[in-house]
Amino acid sequence: MEPFLLVLQFLADPYNLFIIAAGTLVGLIVGALPGLGSVILIALMLPFVVRMDPTTGIALCAIVYCATTYGGSITAILINTPGTPAAAMTTFDGFPMAQKGEAGRALGIATFSSAIGGILGILVMIVATPLLARVAYHFGPAEFFALAVFGMSMLASISGNSMVKNFIGGAFGLLLATVGTDLTTGIERFTFGQADLYEGIAVVQIMIGIFAGGELLRQATQTKVKRELVAEGVTKLPSLQDFKAIWRTVLRATGIGTFIGILPAEGGKVAAMIAYNEEMRWSKHKDQFGKGAIEGLAAPEAANNAATGGTMVPTLALGIPGGGSTAIILTAMLILGLRPGPALFAEQPDLLAGIFGAMLGANICFLIYGMVGAKFFSRITLIPTTILWPCVICLAALGAFSLQQSMFDVGVMVFFAILGFFLNRHGFAPAPIVMGLILGELIETSLKQSYLIYDGNLWAILQQPIALVFLLLSVVGVCGPLIAKALGAWRANQAALLTGNDE
Amino acid sequence: MSHPAHRTIDRTRLIEALVVMAFAVILFAVTFSFKKVPPILAQGIQPTVFPRAILAIMFGLGVIQAVTALRPSAEDLEMLKPKGPIPLIVVLTAALLIGFVALMPVIGTFPALALFLPALSLLWGERRWRLMALSFAGFAGFVYLLFRLIMNVPLP
């Protein structure tokens, strides 16, 4: 009961309520702007967050993470453009509903499904995170090494990208993490004589560059895109009939979203995709999907918001990011001197209550904003890209400078902006690079510690049961998609052969 | 059924693979310039071990990528779309961004903002002068408030 009481205590403070209300508003506005999303917003916020009180700063990141995830659905429904990648599946049935003149009903269903999915996902997070952290008490270097390897192995299953390219991106991130002075030996690695690189490469600046800068250059190719509202967004409460039709869907999708969220490297986008496909599989009227089925709208919205709670579980309990946004939140925690893991639960219960409470509050808050302000948020989409993005990139550059008042850092940001654009153009997503960058130090340190503990015999890692389980899961994580693909190809071949024989 | 006669090479993927392999080889060579430390100080693992392991994995992944580029599956071939050259607007946007960062320490943040913001906006096709003037003046004010007054950051 104690975590819940601490959460209630956090929510009773008027200052915290103000932070929740303001953070949710900013998150909704940014979520409604196509191209911007939680990852870019949190990356841009980092220079400011690291100057704040740790609880307020991390709670603010968590708030905007929840709010942007929901905010993306408004534009997905009204202009067929998902504000965030997690809302991509929402366009499938949300936009057809808006075209049929049911925009208000669609917004109402999306708002309710998002809030219920989000709140249930956070309740799971409040219960599961301390339990997982308790398990992590038994973790030594071998277990942490295996866990980090498991986190990297999950890059194999990030959908929409080539598995090999994800791993190359992950390896590049790991390599970036080795830049600077090796802490054990004091030897410089990949510094090329640059004094600014002695303490390692600036992680925040890389994130700002690769996410915000890369997106700026991508937006440059889309300046001619015109966005039009098909309907005004006045949210209508779901009717009792609608509610009866979607409650099972919402619960199923919440379960899927939370589970997918907990898996390292996966996030709201994958959760929404799986929930939508599962809903279609369970549905009695599959033909309605893609034409305005309310279940097809409720499922991805409940799943992607539930995933926000899920992704925080491994981030807080183990220090393994659950997705792109949580990777940046994790970076903010590390800069603020907070080491996620079991110790955090013993030493910083107030911080965790703050994060849990802030996320819970954000979900309730966006439910209210969504019901009364959808019209306003839908109009935000119409802010011209030609005005918005020059301001965003200047804010990114000045934010990169402000951390250490170093122009070298701004140069790093610009370099990674250009590199991020090229990599993205060739199918190398930024998320695996960030995963590698964050997990690099943990992998190297735990490997070195294991080497010392087991007297140079690294095979001893396999004799640790928990480490063995994680390493086996890593093998499954890598081989699973390959086997599934091979099976699919074999089945297709068999089907083609059978068809050929019939003819 | 696959038809070897109809197979082609995925050139883009092959070039990507070669770049990855070359990158790994060059950086592997760079690791030889790292100073060696006595085994007792290195505690068994020299500082070159971890980067070299990653670079070896990277090279291996590059090889896999090259092999798949030489023998693309039917599914890969269907997805093969020729990539056009990088649009000029992207190159110019990147050039403006570099110019902005280069100008900041020379002429100061706010004059650099006054040049960069309208320049990028114009490049992207914006011609509503009043909207630009109002928006960018407001943004400059916001930057001054946030960075100079609230965060007390000494901007260049």
Side-chain angles (χ1 to χ4, degrees):
Chain A
M1 280 308 286
E2 200 187 347
F4 285 98
L5 289 176
L6 282 170
V7 168
L8 288 177
Q9 200 178 341
F10 176 85
L11 288 173
D13 186 335
Y15 174 70
N16 294 335
L17 290 178
F18 167 74
I19 292 288
I20 291 170
T24 308
L25 186 65
V26 172
L28 281 181
I29 290 171
V30 172
L33 290 165
L36 288 172
S38 61
V39 178
I40 293 179
L41 178 60
I42 301 171
L44 287 175
M45 279 169 48
L46 271 185
F48 313 105
V49 164
V50 295
R51 289 161 188 267
M52 289 179 173
D53 153 62
T55 306
T56 312
I58 303 301
L60 191 58
C61 291
I63 292 164
V64 298
Y65 179 33
C66 293
T68 44
T69 306
Y70 162 68
S73 68
I74 299 173
T75 50
I77 291 167
L78 296 176
I79 60 164
N80 201 23
T81 307
T84 56
M89 304 305 285
T90 308
T91 57
F92 287 14
D93 287 281
F95 187 64
M97 282 180 78
Q99 279 180 314
K100 285 193 280 187
E102 295 181 336
R105 185 178 169 221
L107 285 169
I109 289 169
T111 306
F112 261 84
S113 308
S114 298
I116 293 170
I119 290 168
L120 292 178
I122 290 158
L123 293 179
V124 171
M125 176 178 87
I126 295 174
V127 175
T129 316
L131 291 177
L132 193 58
R134 213 169 291 163
V135 175
Y137 263 121
H138 306 288
F139 284 17
E143 286 78 11
F144 273 112
F145 170 74
L147 180 66
V149 170
F150 171 63
M152 292 301 291
S153 77
M154 294 306 286
L155 296 177
S157 53
I158 292 182
S159 56
N161 298 313
S162 144
M163 183 203 280
V164 178
K165 284 185 177 177
N166 283 341
F167 281 132
I168 292 172
F172 180 57
L174 289 175
L175 198 67
L176 285 175
T178 66
V179 174
T181 310
D182 176 37
L183 290 177
T184 321
T185 58
I187 297 294
E188 291 163 30
R189 299 187 296 191
F190 303 118
T191 57
F192 304 102
Q194 273 285 344
D196 293 287
L197 291 176
Y198 288 170
E199 285 182 31
I201 201 154
V203 179
V204 176
Q205 285 77 357
I206 292 178
M207 287 183 178
I208 296 175
I210 215 161
F211 287 115
E215 184 61 29
L216 166 89
L217 297 176
R218 205 183 66 80
Q219 288 287 330
T221 62
Q222 298 182 352
T223 51
K224 300 273 187 293
V225 176
K226 292 270 178 280
R227 300 190 182 103
E228 281 177 30
L229 283 169
V230 292
E232 288 288 6
V234 180
T235 311
K236 284 182 188 158
L237 279 167
S239 65
L240 194 64
Q241 201 181 353
D242 283 346
F243 192 76
K244 277 181 183 168
I246 60 167
W247 73 270
R248 281 192 193 88
T249 302
V250 170
L251 289 182
R252 254 196 306 269
T254 300
I256 291 170
T258 311
F259 177 72
I260 298 293
I262 290 173
L263 296 177
E266 307 295 347
K269 187 180 159 192
V270 180
M273 213 182 291
I274 294 175
Y276 185 87
N277 289 336
E278 279 305 301
E279 203 46 47
M280 197 153 67
R281 205 159 64 88
W282 283 80
S283 176
K284 286 173 188 158
H285 43 89
K286 296 180 176 63
D287 55 315
Q288 287 303 306
F289 276 70
K291 295 173 189 164
I294 56 170
E295 297 94 328
L297 171 61
E301 275 309 302
N304 63 25
N305 284 278
T308 56
T311 53
M312 291 298 275
V313 175
T315 310
L316 295 173
L318 307 169
I320 304 287
S325 303
T326 44
I328 306 174
I329 294 175
L330 185 62
T331 306
M333 291 179 79
L334 296 175
I335 294 173
L336 286 164
L338 306 163
R339 185 87 211 168
L344 198 67
F345 287 80
E347 292 160 13
Q348 305 268 353
D350 292 348
L351 172 92
L352 292 161
I355 296 171
F356 298 152
M359 290 179 82
L360 204 56
N363 275 276
I364 296 165
C365 207
F366 78 58
L367 178 66
I368 299 165
Y369 283 141
M371 294 313 291
V372 296
K375 191 173 177 178
F376 164 71
F377 296 117
S378 60
R379 290 203 164 268
I380 281 168
T381 318
L382 305 177
I383 293 176
T385 317
T386 49
I387 299 291
L388 177 72
W389 276 95
C391 298
V392 168
I393 200 64
C394 286
L395 205 57
L398 295 173
F401 173 83
S402 71
L403 276 171
Q404 301 182 78
Q405 280 100 53
S406 156
M407 281 311 292
F408 180 83
D409 286 355
V410 187
V412 168
M413 187 219 95
V414 173
F415 174 78
F416 276 92
I418 296 168
L419 185 71
F421 172 78
F422 274 102
L423 291 175
N424 221 340
R425 190 174 149 84
H426 287 273
F428 296 92
I433 300 173
V434 172
M435 279 289 283
L437 188 59
I438 288 177
L439 293 179
E441 194 194 332
L442 179 65
I443 293 181
E444 186 176 11
T445 312
S446 53
L447 184 69
K448 280 181 177 174
Q449 289 170 343
S450 304
Y451 186 87
L452 281 177
I453 291 170
Y454 303 119
D455 210 15
N457 176 21
L458 286 176
W459 292 108
I461 292 176
L462 297 176
Q463 288 161 8
Q464 312 309 311
I466 298 174
L468 182 65
V469 169
F470 278 125
L471 290 174
L472 286 175
L473 284 173
S474 307
V475 174
V476 173
V478 174
C479 298
L482 286 175
I483 294 169
K485 197 176 172 184
L487 269 176
W490 181 78
R491 277 187 196 139
N493 259 341
Q494 292 296 312
L497 278 174
L498 280 174
T499 318
N501 287 344
D502 287 348
E503 281 168 7
Chain B
M1 286 283 283
S2 58
H3 300 283
H6 294 161
R7 282 192 184 280
T8 78
I9 292 172
D10 184 344
R11 280 171 195 272
T12 314
R13 194 187 285 188
L14 185 63
I15 293 167
E16 287 164 3
L18 292 175
V19 169
V20 169
M21 285 154 71
F23 176 80
V25 168
I26 292 167
L27 286 193
F28 200 93
V30 170
T31 62
F32 286 99
S33 67
F34 294 173
K35 286 176 189 152
K36 275 205 164 178
V37 287
I40 187 109
L41 188 62
Q43 296 178 339
I45 296 189
Q46 286 286 339
T48 49
V49 172
F50 189 63
R52 280 182 188 166
I54 299 166
L55 288 164
I57 292 170
M58 215 174 190
F59 186 84
L61 290 166
V63 172
I64 295 172
Q65 187 78 340
V67 171
T68 51
L70 291 171
R71 293 178 53 83
S73 64
E75 189 188 336
D76 291 338
L77 283 174
E78 271 173 32
M79 286 167 68
L80 264 184
K81 272 185 277 176
K83 276 195 181 74
I86 293 170
L88 183 64
I89 195 166
V90 174
V91 179
L92 293 174
T93 302
L96 270 180
L97 185 58
I98 294 168
F100 168 62
V101 172
L103 273 180
M104 251 170 73
V106 181
I107 62 169
T109 302
F110 290 95
L113 278 178
L115 288 174
F116 173 76
L117 289 168
L120 183 57
S121 202
L122 279 170
L123 175 69
W124 283 20
E126 185 59 66
R127 296 293 179 269
R128 289 168 289 183
W129 294 97
R130 202 174 291 173
L131 176 71
M132 280 163 61
L134 275 174
S135 310
F136 296 146
F139 177 72
F142 170 72
V143 165
Y144 185 79
L145 181 80
L146 186 66
F147 287 93
R148 293 293 284 270
L149 300 183
I150 298 176
M151 288 169 64
N152 206 16
V153 174
L155 293 171

